[in-house]
Amino acid sequence: MTHAASSRRFQVFSLGVLAYTLGVILWGAFVRATGSGAGCGAHWPVCNGEVVPRAPTVATIIEYTHRLTSGLAMVLAVAMCVWGVRAHVKGHPARRAAVWALVFMVTEALVGAGIVLLKYVADDASVGRALWMGVHLVNTFLLVGAQTLVVWFSRGRAPLALRGQGLVGLLLGTSVVGLLLLGVSGAVAALGDTLFPAESLAHGLSQDMSETAHGLVRLRVLHPVLAVGLGALVMLLSRWVARLRPSAEVRRASTAIVIVYAAQLCAGVVNLVLLAPVWMQLVHLLLADLVWMALVRLCAAGLASDAPRTVPVPQPASRAEPV
């Protein structure tokens, strides 16, 4: 069953909300990379006990700007949800996706507040902070995924059919789990790069291999390994799905995953060689988000209720040998 496409205005608005949210996410990474997370102290939602900070430091300006832009992102999520519910009939997939986008925006704000209130910012190198960073990354991916689905379904695409997908469901589920795991390892690696910067590539490698190194430093060496292994797996599985669900949308999404992930691997190498400068960390994160968005599109196209399926070619019956 297909549903009517949303109005042109809603399509443009939902795409704008997604683009703006990506900008806010990148600014949040900038806050972490510059060590500005404590710019407003252990206060939330106010900043250093004030609604508008007076005589702010650079760190305060960076953190306060992130809070303001995040607040606007929440307003946009509410507007998109209300508009999505009012403009679509019950059961329309764009309507459900808009509601989930708001849910994950709320949990995103709560996770961010928890990080501030628990003082998992600035130079804190505790295990608790690493765990919260992982949770933050997963929620961010879910938020971006939900907003990507709003854009997708607003164009009149068929809803998802999760039951009876067999091998395709298994392949896509494995890909989703793999990218989430890779994203968490990347968040921990980025935290290690921020808290324990290397003076040179050789120094960084010696840090990674040292038995006395901090846990975050020793864990960050796992990310490149996972990036290569899981990345190759996700690309392979995406091509497999493209064969099992031979539609133009599936092929485009699968191709996008391969291209963007190849760029992501190159960016990872550059990030490593340049010792993780802030600007390169932001590029690396943006590419990670784009890979995730491409996978969400692949899932939406491959699991669509009207997705074409390959039909096994019948084998000709063997002829009996003459006596």
Side-chain angles (χ1 to χ4, degrees), residues 238-260:
S238 71
R239 302 310 295 175
W240 195 352
V241 171
R243 290 196 297 269
L244 296 174
R245 294 289 185 270
S247 72
E249 292 290 359
V250 171
R251 287 194 299 270
R252 280 194 287 267
S254 176
T255 301
I257 289 175
V258 173
I259 294 175
V260 180

mmCIF file with all atom_site columns, all heavy atoms in Angstrom, residues 238-260:
data_model
loop_
_atom_site.group_PDB
_atom_site.id
_atom_site.type_symbol
_atom_site.label_atom_id
_atom_site.label_alt_id
_atom_site.label_comp_id
_atom_site.label_asym_id
_atom_site.label_entity_id
_atom_site.label_seq_id
_atom_site.pdbx_PDB_ins_code
_atom_site.Cartn_x
_atom_site.Cartn_y
_atom_site.Cartn_z
_atom_site.occupancy
_atom_site.B_iso_or_equiv
_atom_site.pdbx_formal_charge
_atom_site.auth_seq_id
_atom_site.auth_comp_id
_atom_site.auth_asym_id
_atom_site.auth_atom_id
_atom_site.pdbx_PDB_model_num
ATOM 1   N N   . SER A 1 238 ? 25.492 -4.550  1.419   1.00 0.00 ? 238 SER A N   1
ATOM 2   C CA  . SER A 1 238 ? 24.642 -3.622  0.665   1.00 0.00 ? 238 SER A CA  1
ATOM 3   C C   . SER A 1 238 ? 24.546 -4.039  -0.796  1.00 0.00 ? 238 SER A C   1
ATOM 4   O O   . SER A 1 238 ? 23.474 -3.943  -1.418  1.00 0.00 ? 238 SER A O   1
ATOM 5   C CB  . SER A 1 238 ? 25.187 -2.199  0.772   1.00 0.00 ? 238 SER A CB  1
ATOM 6   O OG  . SER A 1 238 ? 26.395 -2.038  0.049   1.00 0.00 ? 238 SER A OG  1
ATOM 7   N N   . ARG A 1 239 ? 25.639 -4.524  -1.359  1.00 0.00 ? 239 ARG A N   1
ATOM 8   C CA  . ARG A 1 239 ? 25.586 -5.011  -2.744  1.00 0.00 ? 239 ARG A CA  1
ATOM 9   C C   . ARG A 1 239 ? 24.753 -6.282  -2.842  1.00 0.00 ? 239 ARG A C   1
ATOM 10  O O   . ARG A 1 239 ? 24.062 -6.517  -3.853  1.00 0.00 ? 239 ARG A O   1
ATOM 11  C CB  . ARG A 1 239 ? 27.005 -5.266  -3.259  1.00 0.00 ? 239 ARG A CB  1
ATOM 12  C CG  . ARG A 1 239 ? 27.936 -4.069  -3.229  1.00 0.00 ? 239 ARG A CG  1
ATOM 13  C CD  . ARG A 1 239 ? 27.327 -2.836  -3.852  1.00 0.00 ? 239 ARG A CD  1
ATOM 14  N NE  . ARG A 1 239 ? 27.081 -3.011  -5.277  1.00 0.00 ? 239 ARG A NE  1
ATOM 15  C CZ  . ARG A 1 239 ? 26.467 -2.129  -6.035  1.00 0.00 ? 239 ARG A CZ  1
ATOM 16  N NH1 . ARG A 1 239 ? 25.984 -1.022  -5.501  1.00 0.00 ? 239 ARG A NH1 1
ATOM 17  N NH2 . ARG A 1 239 ? 26.300 -2.356  -7.329  1.00 0.00 ? 239 ARG A NH2 1
ATOM 18  N N   . TRP A 1 240 ? 24.817 -7.092  -1.819  1.00 0.00 ? 240 TRP A N   1
ATOM 19  C CA  . TRP A 1 240 ? 24.014 -8.321  -1.787  1.00 0.00 ? 240 TRP A CA  1
ATOM 20  C C   . TRP A 1 240 ? 22.526 -7.978  -1.754  1.00 0.00 ? 240 TRP A C   1
ATOM 21  O O   . TRP A 1 240 ? 21.716 -8.576  -2.483  1.00 0.00 ? 240 TRP A O   1
ATOM 22  C CB  . TRP A 1 240 ? 24.417 -9.137  -0.561  1.00 0.00 ? 240 TRP A CB  1
ATOM 23  C CG  . TRP A 1 240 ? 23.944 -10.566 -0.565  1.00 0.00 ? 240 TRP A CG  1
ATOM 24  C CD1 . TRP A 1 240 ? 23.079 -11.155 -1.443  1.00 0.00 ? 240 TRP A CD1 1
ATOM 25  C CD2 . TRP A 1 240 ? 24.324 -11.594 0.371   1.00 0.00 ? 240 TRP A CD2 1
ATOM 26  N NE1 . TRP A 1 240 ? 22.884 -12.478 -1.122  1.00 0.00 ? 240 TRP A NE1 1
ATOM 27  C CE2 . TRP A 1 240 ? 23.635 -12.778 -0.017  1.00 0.00 ? 240 TRP A CE2 1
ATOM 28  C CE3 . TRP A 1 240 ? 25.159 -11.626 1.474   1.00 0.00 ? 240 TRP A CE3 1
ATOM 29  C CZ2 . TRP A 1 240 ? 23.760 -13.967 0.688   1.00 0.00 ? 240 TRP A CZ2 1
ATOM 30  C CZ3 . TRP A 1 240 ? 25.291 -12.819 2.167   1.00 0.00 ? 240 TRP A CZ3 1
ATOM 31  C CH2 . TRP A 1 240 ? 24.598 -13.974 1.785   1.00 0.00 ? 240 TRP A CH2 1
ATOM 32  N N   . VAL A 1 241 ? 22.169 -6.999  -0.926  1.00 0.00 ? 241 VAL A N   1
ATOM 33  C CA  . VAL A 1 241 ? 20.771 -6.565  -0.858  1.00 0.00 ? 241 VAL A CA  1
ATOM 34  C C   . VAL A 1 241 ? 20.312 -6.027  -2.210  1.00 0.00 ? 241 VAL A C   1
ATOM 35  O O   . VAL A 1 241 ? 19.171 -6.250  -2.629  1.00 0.00 ? 241 VAL A O   1
ATOM 36  C CB  . VAL A 1 241 ? 20.602 -5.494  0.245   1.00 0.00 ? 241 VAL A CB  1
ATOM 37  C CG1 . VAL A 1 241 ? 19.202 -4.877  0.179   1.00 0.00 ? 241 VAL A CG1 1
ATOM 38  C CG2 . VAL A 1 241 ? 20.833 -6.101  1.622   1.00 0.00 ? 241 VAL A CG2 1
ATOM 39  N N   . ALA A 1 242 ? 21.208 -5.318  -2.906  1.00 0.00 ? 242 ALA A N   1
ATOM 40  C CA  . ALA A 1 242 ? 20.847 -4.766  -4.214  1.00 0.00 ? 242 ALA A CA  1
ATOM 41  C C   . ALA A 1 242 ? 20.517 -5.870  -5.220  1.00 0.00 ? 242 ALA A C   1
ATOM 42  O O   . ALA A 1 242 ? 19.700 -5.662  -6.130  1.00 0.00 ? 242 ALA A O   1
ATOM 43  C CB  . ALA A 1 242 ? 21.988 -3.896  -4.739  1.00 0.00 ? 242 ALA A CB  1
ATOM 44  N N   . ARG A 1 243 ? 21.119 -7.026  -5.056  1.00 0.00 ? 243 ARG A N   1
ATOM 45  C CA  . ARG A 1 243 ? 20.793 -8.148  -5.944  1.00 0.00 ? 243 ARG A CA  1
ATOM 46  C C   . ARG A 1 243 ? 19.465 -8.806  -5.555  1.00 0.00 ? 243 ARG A C   1
ATOM 47  O O   . ARG A 1 243 ? 18.729 -9.285  -6.416  1.00 0.00 ? 243 ARG A O   1
ATOM 48  C CB  . ARG A 1 243 ? 21.913 -9.182  -5.915  1.00 0.00 ? 243 ARG A CB  1
ATOM 49  C CG  . ARG A 1 243 ? 23.198 -8.708  -6.576  1.00 0.00 ? 243 ARG A CG  1
ATOM 50  C CD  . ARG A 1 243 ? 24.128 -9.878  -6.861  1.00 0.00 ? 243 ARG A CD  1
ATOM 51  N NE  . ARG A 1 243 ? 24.565 -10.550 -5.629  1.00 0.00 ? 243 ARG A NE  1
ATOM 52  C CZ  . ARG A 1 243 ? 25.656 -10.222 -4.954  1.00 0.00 ? 243 ARG A CZ  1
ATOM 53  N NH1 . ARG A 1 243 ? 26.405 -9.204  -5.366  1.00 0.00 ? 243 ARG A NH1 1
ATOM 54  N NH2 . ARG A 1 243 ? 25.992 -10.890 -3.860  1.00 0.00 ? 243 ARG A NH2 1
ATOM 55  N N   . LEU A 1 244 ? 19.196 -8.843  -4.257  1.00 0.00 ? 244 LEU A N   1
ATOM 56  C CA  . LEU A 1 244 ? 17.957 -9.479  -3.790  1.00 0.00 ? 244 LEU A CA  1
ATOM 57  C C   . LEU A 1 244 ? 16.740 -8.579  -3.932  1.00 0.00 ? 244 LEU A C   1
ATOM 58  O O   . LEU A 1 244 ? 15.606 -9.073  -3.999  1.00 0.00 ? 244 LEU A O   1
ATOM 59  C CB  . LEU A 1 244 ? 18.117 -9.893  -2.320  1.00 0.00 ? 244 LEU A CB  1
ATOM 60  C CG  . LEU A 1 244 ? 19.183 -10.959 -2.033  1.00 0.00 ? 244 LEU A CG  1
ATOM 61  C CD1 . LEU A 1 244 ? 19.332 -11.168 -0.533  1.00 0.00 ? 244 LEU A CD1 1
ATOM 62  C CD2 . LEU A 1 244 ? 18.831 -12.271 -2.717  1.00 0.00 ? 244 LEU A CD2 1
ATOM 63  N N   . ARG A 1 245 ? 16.947 -7.272  -3.938  1.00 0.00 ? 245 ARG A N   1
ATOM 64  C CA  . ARG A 1 245 ? 15.860 -6.302  -4.104  1.00 0.00 ? 245 ARG A CA  1
ATOM 65  C C   . ARG A 1 245 ? 16.214 -5.391  -5.276  1.00 0.00 ? 245 ARG A C   1
ATOM 66  O O   . ARG A 1 245 ? 16.660 -4.263  -5.094  1.00 0.00 ? 245 ARG A O   1
ATOM 67  C CB  . ARG A 1 245 ? 15.656 -5.480  -2.824  1.00 0.00 ? 245 ARG A CB  1
ATOM 68  C CG  . ARG A 1 245 ? 15.173 -6.276  -1.634  1.00 0.00 ? 245 ARG A CG  1
ATOM 69  C CD  . ARG A 1 245 ? 13.718 -6.705  -1.809  1.00 0.00 ? 245 ARG A CD  1
ATOM 70  N NE  . ARG A 1 245 ? 13.219 -7.374  -0.613  1.00 0.00 ? 245 ARG A NE  1
ATOM 71  C CZ  . ARG A 1 245 ? 13.287 -8.682  -0.395  1.00 0.00 ? 245 ARG A CZ  1
ATOM 72  N NH1 . ARG A 1 245 ? 13.860 -9.462  -1.302  1.00 0.00 ? 245 ARG A NH1 1
ATOM 73  N NH2 . ARG A 1 245 ? 12.809 -9.224  0.700   1.00 0.00 ? 245 ARG A NH2 1
ATOM 74  N N   . PRO A 1 246 ? 16.032 -5.877  -6.501  1.00 0.00 ? 246 PRO A N   1
ATOM 75  C CA  . PRO A 1 246 ? 16.508 -5.152  -7.689  1.00 0.00 ? 246 PRO A CA  1
ATOM 76  C C   . PRO A 1 246 ? 15.641 -3.953  -8.074  1.00 0.00 ? 246 PRO A C   1
ATOM 77  O O   . PRO A 1 246 ? 14.903 -3.993  -9.063  1.00 0.00 ? 246 PRO A O   1
ATOM 78  C CB  . PRO A 1 246 ? 16.464 -6.235  -8.770  1.00 0.00 ? 246 PRO A CB  1
ATOM 79  C CG  . PRO A 1 246 ? 15.351 -7.146  -8.339  1.00 0.00 ? 246 PRO A CG  1
ATOM 80  C CD  . PRO A 1 246 ? 15.421 -7.170  -6.835  1.00 0.00 ? 246 PRO A CD  1
ATOM 81  N N   . SER A 1 247 ? 15.728 -2.892  -7.307  1.00 0.00 ? 247 SER A N   1
ATOM 82  C CA  . SER A 1 247 ? 15.023 -1.658  -7.644  1.00 0.00 ? 247 SER A CA  1
ATOM 83  C C   . SER A 1 247 ? 16.035 -0.539  -7.810  1.00 0.00 ? 247 SER A C   1
ATOM 84  O O   . SER A 1 247 ? 17.165 -0.613  -7.301  1.00 0.00 ? 247 SER A O   1
ATOM 85  C CB  . SER A 1 247 ? 14.014 -1.289  -6.553  1.00 0.00 ? 247 SER A CB  1
ATOM 86  O OG  . SER A 1 247 ? 14.669 -0.822  -5.387  1.00 0.00 ? 247 SER A OG  1
ATOM 87  N N   . ALA A 1 248 ? 15.638 0.514   -8.501  1.00 0.00 ? 248 ALA A N   1
ATOM 88  C CA  . ALA A 1 248 ? 16.539 1.645   -8.733  1.00 0.00 ? 248 ALA A CA  1
ATOM 89  C C   . ALA A 1 248 ? 16.932 2.307   -7.422  1.00 0.00 ? 248 ALA A C   1
ATOM 90  O O   . ALA A 1 248 ? 18.091 2.702   -7.230  1.00 0.00 ? 248 ALA A O   1
ATOM 91  C CB  . ALA A 1 248 ? 15.861 2.653   -9.664  1.00 0.00 ? 248 ALA A CB  1
ATOM 92  N N   . GLU A 1 249 ? 15.985 2.444   -6.484  1.00 0.00 ? 249 GLU A N   1
ATOM 93  C CA  . GLU A 1 249 ? 16.274 3.095   -5.208  1.00 0.00 ? 249 GLU A CA  1
ATOM 94  C C   . GLU A 1 249 ? 17.274 2.281   -4.394  1.00 0.00 ? 249 GLU A C   1
ATOM 95  O O   . GLU A 1 249 ? 18.169 2.839   -3.762  1.00 0.00 ? 249 GLU A O   1
ATOM 96  C CB  . GLU A 1 249 ? 14.977 3.289   -4.411  1.00 0.00 ? 249 GLU A CB  1
ATOM 97  C CG  . GLU A 1 249 ? 14.006 4.302   -5.008  1.00 0.00 ? 249 GLU A CG  1
ATOM 98  C CD  . GLU A 1 249 ? 14.513 5.730   -4.892  1.00 0.00 ? 249 GLU A CD  1
ATOM 99  O OE1 . GLU A 1 249 ? 15.615 5.938   -4.326  1.00 0.00 ? 249 GLU A OE1 1
ATOM 100 O OE2 . GLU A 1 249 ? 13.818 6.634   -5.376  1.00 0.00 ? 249 GLU A OE2 1
ATOM 101 N N   . VAL A 1 250 ? 17.121 0.966   -4.393  1.00 0.00 ? 250 VAL A N   1
ATOM 102 C CA  . VAL A 1 250 ? 18.060 0.108   -3.655  1.00 0.00 ? 250 VAL A CA  1
ATOM 103 C C   . VAL A 1 250 ? 19.449 0.213   -4.264  1.00 0.00 ? 250 VAL A C   1
ATOM 104 O O   . VAL A 1 250 ? 20.452 0.321   -3.550  1.00 0.00 ? 250 VAL A O   1
ATOM 105 C CB  . VAL A 1 250 ? 17.571 -1.346  -3.648  1.00 0.00 ? 250 VAL A CB  1
ATOM 106 C CG1 . VAL A 1 250 ? 18.644 -2.273  -3.091  1.00 0.00 ? 250 VAL A CG1 1
ATOM 107 C CG2 . VAL A 1 250 ? 16.297 -1.479  -2.809  1.00 0.00 ? 250 VAL A CG2 1
ATOM 108 N N   . ARG A 1 251 ? 19.528 0.181   -5.588  1.00 0.00 ? 251 ARG A N   1
ATOM 109 C CA  . ARG A 1 251 ? 20.838 0.282   -6.247  1.00 0.00 ? 251 ARG A CA  1
ATOM 110 C C   . ARG A 1 251 ? 21.508 1.609   -5.952  1.00 0.00 ? 251 ARG A C   1
ATOM 111 O O   . ARG A 1 251 ? 22.718 1.664   -5.697  1.00 0.00 ? 251 ARG A O   1
ATOM 112 C CB  . ARG A 1 251 ? 20.672 0.089   -7.756  1.00 0.00 ? 251 ARG A CB  1
ATOM 113 C CG  . ARG A 1 251 ? 20.379 -1.345  -8.180  1.00 0.00 ? 251 ARG A CG  1
ATOM 114 C CD  . ARG A 1 251 ? 20.571 -1.520  -9.673  1.00 0.00 ? 251 ARG A CD  1
ATOM 115 N NE  . ARG A 1 251 ? 19.663 -0.657  -10.442 1.00 0.00 ? 251 ARG A NE  1
ATOM 116 C CZ  . ARG A 1 251 ? 18.455 -1.026  -10.831 1.00 0.00 ? 251 ARG A CZ  1
ATOM 117 N NH1 . ARG A 1 251 ? 17.987 -2.226  -10.501 1.00 0.00 ? 251 ARG A NH1 1
ATOM 118 N NH2 . ARG A 1 251 ? 17.696 -0.209  -11.534 1.00 0.00 ? 251 ARG A NH2 1
ATOM 119 N N   . ARG A 1 252 ? 20.736 2.692   -5.972  1.00 0.00 ? 252 ARG A N   1
ATOM 120 C CA  . ARG A 1 252 ? 21.319 4.011   -5.693  1.00 0.00 ? 252 ARG A CA  1
ATOM 121 C C   . ARG A 1 252 ? 21.827 4.098   -4.263  1.00 0.00 ? 252 ARG A C   1
ATOM 122 O O   . ARG A 1 252 ? 22.916 4.624   -4.003  1.00 0.00 ? 252 ARG A O   1
ATOM 123 C CB  . ARG A 1 252 ? 20.289 5.112   -5.963  1.00 0.00 ? 252 ARG A CB  1
ATOM 124 C CG  . ARG A 1 252 ? 20.133 5.477   -7.426  1.00 0.00 ? 252 ARG A CG  1
ATOM 125 C CD  . ARG A 1 252 ? 19.385 6.776   -7.597  1.00 0.00 ? 252 ARG A CD  1
ATOM 126 N NE  . ARG A 1 252 ? 17.973 6.617   -7.313  1.00 0.00 ? 252 ARG A NE  1
ATOM 127 C CZ  . ARG A 1 252 ? 17.049 6.354   -8.235  1.00 0.00 ? 252 ARG A CZ  1
ATOM 128 N NH1 . ARG A 1 252 ? 17.403 6.194   -9.504  1.00 0.00 ? 252 ARG A NH1 1
ATOM 129 N NH2 . ARG A 1 252 ? 15.773 6.237   -7.907  1.00 0.00 ? 252 ARG A NH2 1
ATOM 130 N N   . ALA A 1 253 ? 21.038 3.585   -3.315  1.00 0.00 ? 253 ALA A N   1
ATOM 131 C CA  . ALA A 1 253 ? 21.457 3.623   -1.916  1.00 0.00 ? 253 ALA A CA  1
ATOM 132 C C   . ALA A 1 253 ? 22.693 2.768   -1.692  1.00 0.00 ? 253 ALA A C   1
ATOM 133 O O   . ALA A 1 253 ? 23.619 3.154   -0.967  1.00 0.00 ? 253 ALA A O   1
ATOM 134 C CB  . ALA A 1 253 ? 20.317 3.167   -1.014  1.00 0.00 ? 253 ALA A CB  1
ATOM 135 N N   . SER A 1 254 ? 22.729 1.588   -2.314  1.00 0.00 ? 254 SER A N   1
ATOM 136 C CA  . SER A 1 254 ? 23.875 0.710   -2.174  1.00 0.00 ? 254 SER A CA  1
ATOM 137 C C   . SER A 1 254 ? 25.134 1.345   -2.756  1.00 0.00 ? 254 SER A C   1
ATOM 138 O O   . SER A 1 254 ? 26.212 1.291   -2.154  1.00 0.00 ? 254 SER A O   1
ATOM 139 C CB  . SER A 1 254 ? 23.590 -0.626  -2.872  1.00 0.00 ? 254 SER A CB  1
ATOM 140 O OG  . SER A 1 254 ? 24.724 -1.469  -2.844  1.00 0.00 ? 254 SER A OG  1
ATOM 141 N N   . THR A 1 255 ? 24.998 1.972   -3.914  1.00 0.00 ? 255 THR A N   1
ATOM 142 C CA  . THR A 1 255 ? 26.138 2.658   -4.531  1.00 0.00 ? 255 THR A CA  1
ATOM 143 C C   . THR A 1 255 ? 26.611 3.817   -3.667  1.00 0.00 ? 255 THR A C   1
ATOM 144 O O   . THR A 1 255 ? 27.819 4.049   -3.522  1.00 0.00 ? 255 THR A O   1
ATOM 145 C CB  . THR A 1 255 ? 25.750 3.163   -5.929  1.00 0.00 ? 255 THR A CB  1
ATOM 146 O OG1 . THR A 1 255 ? 25.348 2.063   -6.741  1.00 0.00 ? 255 THR A OG1 1
ATOM 147 C CG2 . THR A 1 255 ? 26.923 3.873   -6.598  1.00 0.00 ? 255 THR A CG2 1
ATOM 148 N N   . ALA A 1 256 ? 25.662 4.547   -3.085  1.00 0.00 ? 256 ALA A N   1
ATOM 149 C CA  . ALA A 1 256 ? 26.027 5.668   -2.218  1.00 0.00 ? 256 ALA A CA  1
ATOM 150 C C   . ALA A 1 256 ? 26.823 5.198   -1.016  1.00 0.00 ? 256 ALA A C   1
ATOM 151 O O   . ALA A 1 256 ? 27.799 5.844   -0.605  1.00 0.00 ? 256 ALA A O   1
ATOM 152 C CB  . ALA A 1 256 ? 24.764 6.407   -1.764  1.00 0.00 ? 256 ALA A CB  1
ATOM 153 N N   . ILE A 1 257 ? 26.436 4.054   -0.448  1.00 0.00 ? 257 ILE A N   1
ATOM 154 C CA  . ILE A 1 257 ? 27.168 3.513   0.700   1.00 0.00 ? 257 ILE A CA  1
ATOM 155 C C   . ILE A 1 257 ? 28.612 3.222   0.315   1.00 0.00 ? 257 ILE A C   1
ATOM 156 O O   . ILE A 1 257 ? 29.554 3.572   1.028   1.00 0.00 ? 257 ILE A O   1
ATOM 157 C CB  . ILE A 1 257 ? 26.479 2.239   1.232   1.00 0.00 ? 257 ILE A CB  1
ATOM 158 C CG1 . ILE A 1 257 ? 25.158 2.592   1.914   1.00 0.00 ? 257 ILE A CG1 1
ATOM 159 C CG2 . ILE A 1 257 ? 27.392 1.500   2.216   1.00 0.00 ? 257 ILE A CG2 1
ATOM 160 C CD1 . ILE A 1 257 ? 24.357 1.391   2.367   1.00 0.00 ? 257 ILE A CD1 1
ATOM 161 N N   . VAL A 1 258 ? 28.803 2.576   -0.828  1.00 0.00 ? 258 VAL A N   1
ATOM 162 C CA  . VAL A 1 258 ? 30.154 2.220   -1.266  1.00 0.00 ? 258 VAL A CA  1
ATOM 163 C C   . VAL A 1 258 ? 30.997 3.471   -1.499  1.00 0.00 ? 258 VAL A C   1
ATOM 164 O O   . VAL A 1 258 ? 32.145 3.567   -1.044  1.00 0.00 ? 258 VAL A O   1
ATOM 165 C CB  . VAL A 1 258 ? 30.093 1.363   -2.546  1.00 0.00 ? 258 VAL A CB  1
ATOM 166 C CG1 . VAL A 1 258 ? 31.495 1.129   -3.098  1.00 0.00 ? 258 VAL A CG1 1
ATOM 167 C CG2 . VAL A 1 258 ? 29.405 0.031   -2.263  1.00 0.00 ? 258 VAL A CG2 1
ATOM 168 N N   . ILE A 1 259 ? 30.441 4.459   -2.190  1.00 0.00 ? 259 ILE A N   1
ATOM 169 C CA  . ILE A 1 259 ? 31.201 5.669   -2.524  1.00 0.00 ? 259 ILE A CA  1
ATOM 170 C C   . ILE A 1 259 ? 31.529 6.485   -1.275  1.00 0.00 ? 259 ILE A C   1
ATOM 171 O O   . ILE A 1 259 ? 32.686 6.881   -1.043  1.00 0.00 ? 259 ILE A O   1
ATOM 172 C CB  . ILE A 1 259 ? 30.418 6.533   -3.535  1.00 0.00 ? 259 ILE A CB  1
ATOM 173 C CG1 . ILE A 1 259 ? 30.310 5.789   -4.878  1.00 0.00 ? 259 ILE A CG1 1
ATOM 174 C CG2 . ILE A 1 259 ? 31.104 7.881   -3.726  1.00 0.00 ? 259 ILE A CG2 1
ATOM 175 C CD1 . ILE A 1 259 ? 29.450 6.506   -5.897  1.00 0.00 ? 259 ILE A CD1 1
ATOM 176 N N   . VAL A 1 260 ? 30.508 6.728   -0.453  1.00 0.00 ? 260 VAL A N   1
ATOM 177 C CA  . VAL A 1 260 ? 30.726 7.575   0.726   1.00 0.00 ? 260 VAL A CA  1
ATOM 178 C C   . VAL A 1 260 ? 31.619 6.870   1.744   1.00 0.00 ? 260 VAL A C   1
ATOM 179 O O   . VAL A 1 260 ? 32.468 7.505   2.386   1.00 0.00 ? 260 VAL A O   1
ATOM 180 C CB  . VAL A 1 260 ? 29.384 7.977   1.372   1.00 0.00 ? 260 VAL A CB  1
ATOM 181 C CG1 . VAL A 1 260 ? 29.623 8.861   2.593   1.00 0.00 ? 260 VAL A CG1 1
ATOM 182 C CG2 . VAL A 1 260 ? 28.513 8.718   0.374   1.00 0.00 ? 260 VAL A CG2 1
#
